[in-house]
Amino acid sequence: MEEKKKVIFSGIQPSGNLTLGNYLGALKNWVKLQDENKYECYFCVVDLHAITVRQEPKDLRRRTLEVLAIYLAAGIDPKKTTLFIQSHVSTHSEAAWLLNCFTYIGEASRMTQFKDKSKRYGEAVSVGLLDYPILMAADILLYNADLVPVGKDQTQHLEMARNIAQRFNNLYSPTFVIPEGYIPEDGAKIMDLQEPTKKMSKSSDNPNSYILIMDQPEVIRRKINRCVTDSIGVVNYTDEQPGIKNLITILGAINGLKPEEIVEKYKGKGYSQFKEDVADAIVGELEPIQQKVQSFLSDKKYLENIYKSGAEKAYYVSNKVLRKMQKKIGFIPKA
Ligand code: TYM
C-alpha cells in the first residue's frame, strides 16, 4: 500500500511587497520541498492576516495577485501543489474562532511580534493583531500539516500552534497532527541592510533597508553598495561584523556555499568586490523570476483558474477537519 505523504503548509502575507527575506527564508525552500515529490503541499496567500494592519483595498488586491504570481514564478507548480488565497476558504476564519476559545490571552499577548507591533500602534492596536497567531494555527491545523517551512521569526507562532493543538487533543481526543517547523539552514533570518541586527522586513519605513523580490537590477546593486558594513575590511562570518555576516548568509543561501567557503574565497579582497558579487548573485536569482511574474500577471484568467481550483481542493480537505472539531466541541451537525 502506498504510504500517506506528509503534509506541508505555509503562507506569506500580501501586506507589503515581498522581500529577499521572504524569498530566501520561505519561498525558495518551499520550491525545494515541493520538488522532492514526497510531500502533499499547500501554499496560501494569507490575505486575512494582512488586514491586521490597515490596507488600502486596491493595493491589497494588486499585491494578493502579485504574491500568487511570485509563488508561480519562483517555481511553485500548481500541478503538484495546492495554491490558494486564504479568504477564499471560509473554514480558516471559522476554525480560528473555535481555536480562540482554546487559547489564553496570556499566551497570545506574550508573542514577541505582537509586543513589538503593539508598541508601534499603542492603544490603536487591533484585536486582530493579537489574534493573528491563532488564525495561523487554524491555517496549519486544518490541513493536519506535519511540516511548516518558515523563517526563524515564525518559530514562536508555530510553538503556539503546537500548544493549542495539544490542548485540544488532550481535552477531547486526538484531532490534530502536532506540526513541526522546518527552518532552513541558510537564510532563516535575513537582516536589515541598514541596521543588520534587525530582521529585514517589508514593513520597514526605509526602502534602503530591504531588497524587494521585484526590485530592478540597478536598485538591487545600489542598495547592496550602500548597505551598512564596518571598518574592519576583512570578509568574516562573525557577530562583530553583522552587516558582512548578513551578506555572507545571502550569498550562501543563493549559491549553496558554506560561510567558511565564502570567507576563504574573499581572503585578501576588499568589501567592494564582495559586495559586487553579492549584488550579481541576487540579480541573477531574481531577474528571471521578475520576468515570469510579469507574464503571469498579464494572464489574469490563468491566475483565476489556479486560485479557484486551489480553493476548492483546500475547502474540501479543511472542511473535514473543521467538521470534526465542531462535532467534538458539541455542535449539532448540519442535517
Ligand atoms: P510573513 O508574511 O511575515 O513572512 C512570510 C515568510 O517569510 C519569512 N521571513 C523571513 N525569513 C528570513 N529572513 C527574513 N528577514 C524574513 N522575513 C520574513 C517568514 O518567516 C515567513 O516564513 N504569519 C506568517 C504567515 C502565515 C503562515 C501561516 C506561515 C500565516 N499562516 C501558516 C506558515 C503557516 C507571516 O506573517 O509571515
Side-chain angles (χ1 to χ4, degrees):
M1 204 177 83
E2 209 183 309
E3 218 181 301
K4 189 180 166 296
K5 280 187 173 175
K6 285 200 167 187
V7 176
I8 285 189
F9 186 98
S10 201
I12 300 181
Q13 294 190 64
S15 55
N17 296 314
L18 299 203
T19 68
L20 186 65
N22 297 129
Y23 178 70
L24 295 177
L27 197 44
K28 196 170 159 66
N29 294 298
W30 299 359
V31 176
K32 219 186 289 167
L33 290 165
Q34 165 197 268
D35 290 344
E36 286 178 21
N37 289 325
K38 52 179 193 188
Y39 302 105
E40 167 93 27
C41 298
Y42 295 85
F43 297 123
C44 173
V45 182
V46 291
D47 55 348
L48 296 170
H49 276 97
I51 64 159
T52 52
V53 295
R54 202 58 69 232
Q55 301 291 332
E56 192 60 52
K58 71 173 185 337
D59 291 341
L60 181 60
R61 272 191 290 273
R62 176 183 58 76
R63 278 199 237 101
T64 301
L65 285 187
E66 187 176 278
V67 173
L68 188 72
I70 290 176
Y71 287 3
L72 293 166
I76 299 296
D77 178 354
K79 289 199 202 76
K80 296 185 185 168
T81 290
T82 307
L83 264 179
F84 66 103
I85 297 172
Q86 189 187 29
S87 65
H88 291 178
V89 184
S90 57
T91 49
H92 291 240
S93 309
E94 291 179 66
W97 169 255
L98 302 185
L99 296 179
N100 269 327
C101 302
F102 297 88
T103 308
Y104 304 124
I105 197 98
E107 64 186 336
S109 52
R110 267 198 301 279
M111 294 292 111
T112 317
Q113 251 187 35
F114 171 71
K115 285 199 282 192
D116 288 349
K117 288 202 178 165
S118 50
K119 254 188 239 145
R120 197 158 145 188
Y121 296 100
E123 278 284 291
V125 67
S126 72
V127 175
L129 212 51
L130 179 71
D131 206 16
Y132 157 126
I134 300 149
L135 176 60
M136 177 165 160
D139 296 342
I140 298 167
L141 302 180
L142 277 174
Y143 298 86
N144 274 320
D146 298 278
L147 275 186
V148 183
V150 281
K152 226 185 207 153
D153 63 317
Q154 295 297 325
T155 43
Q156 208 185 18
H157 294 157
L158 203 58
E159 198 49 43
M160 186 156 146
R162 290 165 56 88
N163 289 340
I164 298 171
Q166 202 92 60
R167 190 171 300 140
F168 194 98
N169 285 353
N170 290 343
L171 210 57
Y172 300 103
S173 56
T175 310
F176 300 123
V177 167
I178 309 298
E180 300 278 343
Y182 180 93
I183 317 280
E185 263 175 58
D186 331 296
K189 194 168 184 189
I190 302 299
M191 307 308 272
D192 184 296
L193 298 178
Q194 295 301 316
E195 285 179 67
T197 49
K198 257 177 41 185
K199 176 189 86 159
M200 181 184 285
S201 165
K202 52 183 171 290
S203 55
S204 164
D205 299 325
N206 177 1
N208 282 326
S209 67
Y210 51 69
I211 285 175
L212 299 178
I213 294 182
M214 297 306 284
D215 270 346
Q216 290 306 296
E218 63 280 9
V219 176
I220 295 175
R221 291 186 206 285
R222 195 184 62 230
K223 287 181 178 176
I224 292 293
N225 192 30
R226 287 191 190 159
C227 80
V228 167
T229 53
D230 53 68
S231 54
I232 297 174
V234 180
V235 175
N236 252 333
Y237 190 73
T238 146
D239 289 339
E240 268 89 78
Q241 295 172 251
I244 292 294
K245 185 177 177 189
N246 190 34
L247 295 183
I248 294 177
T249 305
I250 292 173
L251 189 57
I254 293 174
N255 67 14
L257 289 180
K258 300 221 170 328
E260 358 11 310
E261 294 171 310
I262 295 172
V263 168
E264 186 59 34
K265 193 168 162 203
Y266 289 94
K267 231 180 202 162
K269 295 186 186 147
Y271 289 168
S272 84
Q273 177 67 51
F274 175 55
K275 279 184 165 181
E276 215 173 287
D277 291 355
V278 173
D280 280 345
I282 300 172
V283 170
E285 182 84 7
L286 296 183
E287 222 178 5
I289 295 179
Q290 294 170 354
Q291 285 160 5
K292 288 188 201 145
V293 169
Q294 296 311 348
S295 93
F296 283 123
L297 282 176
S298 64
D299 191 351
K300 296 280 183 324
K301 199 75 211 154
Y302 176 71
L303 292 180
E304 193 183 309
N305 283 337
I306 288 174
Y307 65 67
K308 236 173 116 180
S309 62
E312 276 166 21
K313 162 96 189 281
Y315 183 79
Y316 176 78
V317 173
S318 60
N319 194 41
K320 284 198 210 164
V321 177
L322 177 67
R323 285 212 310 265
K324 224 184 204 183
M325 292 167 73
Q326 291 166 330
K327 195 166 159 210
K328 293 198 185 189
I329 290 171
F331 294 153
I332 303 218
K334 271 195 260 180

